[in-house]
Amino acid sequence: MSMQTVCCPLTTNKIDLMVNSGKLSTTIKPKSLVTSSAGALKKQHQKPFDAMNNIVANLLLNLTSSARFEGSLNMDLNEISMNLVPFPQLHYLVSSLTPLYTLADVNIPTRRLDQMFSDAFSKDHQLIRADPKHSLYLACALMVRGNVQVSDLRRNIERLKPSLQFISWNQEGWKTSLCSVPPVGHSHSLLALANNTCVKPTFMELRERFMRLYKKKAHLHHYLQIEGMEESCFMEAVSSLSALIEEYNQLDATRSMPVEDLPRLSVAV
């Protein structure tokens, strides 16, 4: 089971805790059903994949809100790749939703506006198992829906910037979107998309699990029966993945470098 597959049941169980207790709990017993991937799949949801699909659907609804509704700062989908992907290979974005809920649990407690922005950068609201707040940001997009002013958006960005580490050459790497139509049942919501080095452990675990299977030649015959598919394709894929991990390593190595205050260009009069 992949890391993302394990994370989705844990996310649905976090939502259950929030619905039942009125808040998102971060203190969970180590052997509880919430931390067990096997138990998480069996907990309260008779159809757990419905809840997982609802979370993805909720993400897509927020992602495409600017294309469907009016707003003071609408964001075209092309702008996401243009502003958040500085290098073609580093195009993997970490997403977080707040409030975090499935489409079947719209009546969860409302989050305060400032708390909503703080939640978007906490590990409990990420849709993969990652903690971007303790990793390096290349760029970040905030897609807000509801009765939120531009001043609220700017104030919260300034409030959160000291606790977030952006790469030295893109300290102002923010992209914002404001859609005036809130989601059903809520006054406001926020989808955060981050290009962050916290995805590196996901790829490292993926490589490790693949190599364990590849050394045993497990399932290879299913793929080698396909015309044009050769065993060398697997090693090329591993090499590409290792190169991607190395790129993230090089970026992480720059975290200790001081941020230079580059001189601005002066315009001759």
Side-chain angles (χ1 to χ4, degrees), residues 242-255:
S242 297
L244 176 64
I245 294 171
E246 181 58 29
E247 286 201 48
Y248 283 116
N249 283 333
Q250 293 177 7
L251 290 172
D252 276 331
T254 66
R255 293 179 61 184

Side-chain angles (χ1 to χ4, degrees), residues 80-101:
I80 295 176
S81 59
M82 183 173 61
N83 289 273
L84 298 187
V85 183
F87 306 108
Q89 193 171 5
L90 304 180
H91 58 265
Y92 302 95
L93 305 181
V94 180
S95 56
S96 63
L97 278 171
T98 175
L100 184 58
Y101 64 95

